[in-house]
Amino acid sequence: SLVASDACGGTMLLRSARGALGLSHGRVRCMSRIGRVPVKLPEAVSVRVEPYAAGSLHPIKPPTAHRLRQMMKRRPDKDSFQAFGTPHRVVVNGPLGEIAVPVHSFVDVAQPDAETLQVSAKCGGTTRLGKTMWGTTKSYIANAVRGVSQGFRKDLELQGVGFRARIEKADGALYPVETLVLRLGFTNELQLPVPPGIEISCPTQTTIAVFGFRKRQVGMVAAQIRRFRPPDAYKGKGVRYVDEVVRLKPGKRR
């Protein structure tokens, strides 16, 4: 019984020590491997961190201490965005344009020097909210820096007999804006007006290049073009990304 009591006492002592250090029985990783890496700023890119204006955010009820603890256990929402202080936004300026990245109030952004930008979570990455927003915010800022300095590009290709793509310049009558015209085996030609901030070119009649400084917009436009005629499951005819692997189904065999 003495050995059992000593063992129980040692177990309780170990549990209390783990609780004081914020550890659990499993392996806990408090640091974000993506968030802790600083963002490199090119020479042509300027960054400024500014708070949101007082009237630009929707009013929320002042959260209690219990509600704040519950917010840290959940995913971010519109109330937690400004529950831990005044949220900021990072405005990235470069040769290709300007992007404003919203920053959650649970995340801090600091610029120790002119060449790097450091992102950190107020909890040090020990809560679910901190783990969620730390690496996500850093990736958004890194994508904005790359977008205004280098831009993003998506290449697509057409596979099929008679499939063609061309760019029609704006002439004010038939095409009021620059338009991508596709021939994909349908009765009529398909037309996609080029949205602002996006450049679409056709190096050849069967290839399409989408370029822009917003990564999300470039991906959405490329996905919209692919949805006009996705690759066929049996012959592979359609619009696909360059280097996309399309698995074909075997046809019927007699």
Side-chain angles (χ1 to χ4, degrees):
S1 60
L2 181 60
V3 175
S5 63
D6 290 343
C8 292
T11 304
M12 295 300 295
L13 182 61
L14 180 59
R15 289 179 179 177
S16 62
R18 284 177 174 175
L21 295 176
L23 302 177
S24 63
H25 295 282
R27 185 177 179 182
V28 178
R29 178 172 58 87
C30 297
M31 292 292 290
S32 172
R33 297 179 181 178
I34 299 177
R36 64 183 176 182
V37 179
V39 180
K40 300 296 183 180
L41 300 179
E43 296 181 357
V45 175
S46 62
V47 176
R48 69 179 187 272
V49 182
E50 57 185 25
Y52 275 90
S56 60
L57 299 174
H58 72 281
I60 64 171
K61 182 180 178 180
T64 61
H66 173 73
R67 192 179 175 197
L68 290 177
R69 289 194 298 267
Q70 295 300 319
M71 287 181 179
M72 289 187 289
K73 298 178 182 179
R74 299 194 302 264
R75 299 292 185 184
D77 53 21
K78 62 179 181 180
D79 291 335
S80 66
F81 180 73
Q82 51 181 325
F84 299 91
T86 303
H88 293 71
R89 62 178 181 179
V90 178
V91 182
V92 185
N93 240 312
L96 299 181
E98 178 180 297
I99 301 178
V101 180
V103 179
H104 198 279
S105 60
F106 203 60
V107 178
D108 294 327
V109 179
Q111 190 173 2
D113 50 59
E115 299 180 354
T116 59
L117 202 67
Q118 190 69 47
V119 182
S120 61
K122 293 184 178 179
C123 64
T126 57
T127 63
R128 186 176 187 183
L129 181 61
K131 293 177 183 179
T132 302
M133 296 306 303
W134 193 354
T136 301
T137 304
K138 186 263 177 182
S139 298
Y140 283 160
I141 297 176
N143 289 337
V145 171
R146 179 185 170 184
V148 300
S149 59
Q150 304 176 14
F152 296 95
R153 175 171 173 165
K154 278 280 190 180
D155 295 323
L156 303 99
E157 59 182 1
L158 312 181
Q159 292 194 6
V161 177
F163 287 11
R164 297 289 184 268
R166 70 179 189 273
I167 291 293
E168 293 288 348
K169 301 297 183 180
D171 57 4
L174 185 60
Y175 300 101
V177 296
E178 191 176 19
T179 306
L180 173 66
V181 182
L182 300 170
R183 295 177 59 186
L184 300 178
F186 301 115
T187 305
N188 300 323
E189 295 180 338
L190 302 177
Q191 301 177 5
L192 176 66
V194 179
I198 292 293
E199 297 179 6
I200 300 179
S201 60
C202 298
T204 64
Q205 291 185 342
T206 58
T207 57
I208 304 171
V210 183
F211 180 81
F213 65 94
R214 298 181 185 273
K215 184 177 183 179
R216 178 182 178 184
Q217 189 181 16
V218 171
M220 291 178 63
V221 173
Q224 185 177 0
I225 297 174
R226 185 182 182 274
R227 280 197 300 268
F228 283 141
R229 184 152 187 178
D232 181 72
Y234 293 95
K235 295 184 179 180
K237 296 170 53 178
V239 184
R240 65 175 70 182
Y241 300 114
V242 174
D243 299 331
E244 179 182 356
V245 177
V246 179
R247 296 188 177 183
L248 303 181
K249 295 181 180 180
K252 293 183 179 181
R253 299 179 181 177
R254 294 182 180 180

